[in-house]
Amino acid sequence: MLRNGLEPWHLIVVAIVVIVLFGSKKLPEAARGLGKSMRILKSEAKAMKSDDGGAAASTAPTSTATPAPEAITPSDVVTAQEATPAPQASTTAK
């Protein structure tokens, strides 16, 4: 039943469906994004392969010191009720 798996006309049908679904304007953006992702994946795989040699275990990783973001405490959060002043009750007697 599936002896000839994927034939050229299957690829043409898939390409037509993709063009109809995503439109011709989105396809170049998607291709660029896919290309960038593949380059990043390739460079990361190459870096992991070079780190497997045992050199990473003997040396400390070098990184720049970045300050940690300040924590937000509950007292720092302003609610909507606190942000708008409450209406003043009138104290004038009639």
Side-chain angles (χ1 to χ4, degrees):
M1 181 176 187
L2 294 174
R3 283 189 287 166
N4 293 334
L6 195 62
E7 294 182 10
W9 69 273
H10 290 123
L11 297 175
I12 293 171
V13 170
V14 169
I16 291 172
V17 169
V18 167
I19 290 171
V20 168
L21 285 178
F22 295 107
S24 61
K25 291 185 180 184
K26 294 275 185 177
L27 288 177
E29 295 172 16
R32 264 186 235 110
L34 181 63
K36 285 182 183 179
S37 299
M38 292 302 293
R39 273 185 251 124
I40 291 170
L41 179 66
K42 193 175 187 180
S43 66
E44 291 295 324
K46 195 178 287 186
M48 286 179 66
K49 189 179 255 187
S50 67
D51 285 346
D52 279 345
S58 63
T59 60
T62 57
S63 64
T64 58
T66 56
E70 294 182 18
I72 298 175
T73 60
S75 62
D76 294 337
V77 178
V78 177
T79 62
Q81 292 174 349
E82 294 172 349
T84 57
Q88 298 291 327
S90 113
T91 56
T92 57
K94 289 187 178 180

